[in-house]
Amino acid sequence: MNAIIFGAPGSGKGTYASRLKTKLEIEVISMGDIFRDIMKKETDFGKKVKKYVEKGQLVPDEMVISVLKKNLTQIPSGKGVILDGYPRTIPQAETLQEIANIDVILLQNVPDWIIIERLSSRRICINCSEVYNIRFLKPKIENVQRPDDTAEVIKERIQLYQKMTSPIIDYYKEKNTPFVISEITSLNTPPEQIVEKILEELKILNLT
Ligand code: ADP
């Protein structure tokens, strides 16, 4: 099964994807994580990526697409993948269409107030990149705020998400790709509950 997990920044998509990875023995390609690794390396490419990410802007398509292709070729054949953070533009979706078949879209619907609340309290372990939250999952070890989790950049990322969402959703609706939609309405819904529901619906769709 190849899936795209789609949702606003802070919708929890990274958390759900990593849990689905274990349950379904599937690979996850997280564009945000890959770019954060690339930025650490201080190469020319890394410095270029950083210019966009730190402002909450999209990295240009040709750069994103080259990174995607490189990562897709590393997946053993026959193994499925969940794409997190890709595609974010129509050209990215069109390129993907040429190289992989997408069986399902996992869409997380989350109201803005939850997004803002979650992102401003999100913290990342400086050693292993594990995600914590100073309100719900208190980090015991040294942690930092993601540089793009500041109020100004959060606003930028939410606006960008809203602008790019509908064309991509329409793109997959036109292709009749099935959707599994999670409606998240409370700050405290445990991730397990959401993941279990996604798994149930994937079963109904005969995808697991
Ligand atoms: P978010 O938490 O906002 O969903 P991610 O961790 O997925 O963010 O990505 C962080 C940043 O990396 C984005 O704000 C953007 O600058 C860049 N990025 C990630 N994926 C893409 C993509 N597919 N196209 C363009 N830029 C991307």
Side-chain angles (χ1 to χ4, degrees):
M1 177 190 81
N2 294 326
I4 294 170
I5 191 157
F6 206 63
S11 59
K13 60 188 159 56
T15 307
Y16 312 142
S18 77
R19 288 172 194 238
L20 290 167
K21 173 182 174 163
T22 320
K23 299 238 178 197
L24 298 171
E25 293 180 23
I26 197 170
E27 298 286 326
V28 173
I29 292 183
S30 158
M31 273 309 190
D33 285 352
I34 293 170
F35 283 141
R36 280 183 284 280
D37 270 349
I38 291 175
M39 287 189 292
K40 274 191 209 150
K41 288 187 192 124
E42 298 263 320
T43 56
D44 283 351
F45 191 76
K47 284 181 202 153
K48 261 195 213 160
V49 167
K50 198 168 179 178
K51 279 205 314 215
Y52 298 97
V53 174
E54 66 188 7
K55 289 188 225 137
Q57 293 169 352
L58 288 184
V59 176
D61 283 339
E62 38 325 330
M63 292 168 75
V64 181
I65 288 167
S66 73
V67 170
L68 173 86
K69 284 187 171 162
K70 195 168 148 226
N71 280 272
L72 271 181
T73 55
Q74 284 161 11
I75 293 180
S77 69
K79 212 160 182 202
V81 64
I82 299 177
L83 296 174
D84 168 7
Y86 187 103
R88 272 173 152 98
T89 65
I90 293 294
Q92 289 181 21
E94 284 167 345
T95 305
L96 179 62
Q97 187 70 22
E98 291 161 17
I99 45 185
N101 188 39
I102 298 300
D103 302 297
V104 64
I105 310 291
L106 311 175
L107 177 64
Q108 317 305 309
N109 271 342
V110 187
D112 282 1
W113 70 270
I114 293 189
I115 295 170
I116 294 166
E117 185 65 43
R118 280 201 187 143
L119 291 183
S120 45
S121 50
R122 174 159 81 176
R123 297 293 183 274
I124 312 285
C125 168
I126 55 164
N127 294 319
C128 68
S129 305
E130 184 71 35
V131 178
Y132 296 90
N133 190 296
I134 48 171
R135 285 167 52 103
F136 311 107
L137 185 62
K138 289 208 167 38
K140 295 191 185 66
I141 34 186
E142 208 177 337
N143 61 84
V144 288
Q145 190 164 32
R146 243 173 70 172
D148 58 348
D149 278 350
T150 56
E152 207 39 47
V153 183
I154 290 172
K155 228 173 83 194
E156 184 72 33
R157 284 158 59 209
I158 294 176
Q159 276 171 1
L160 192 63
Y161 175 77
Q162 280 159 349
K163 211 171 92 189
M164 56 144 237
T165 307
S166 18
I168 304 232
I169 289 182
D170 290 348
Y171 177 88
Y172 287 103
K173 280 198 177 143
E174 266 168 39
K175 297 222 162 337
N176 289 322
T177 310
F179 278 64
V180 169
I181 302 176
S182 318
E183 295 289 347
I184 296 155
T185 51
S186 141
L187 257 177
N188 322 319
T189 315
E192 300 77 44
Q193 197 177 315
I194 291 153
V195 169
E196 282 314 312
K197 257 192 101 191
I198 295 175
L199 288 169
E200 274 170 31
E201 295 208 29
L202 289 176
K203 209 169 196 173
I204 296 170
L205 289 169
N206 264 332
L207 289 169
T208 60

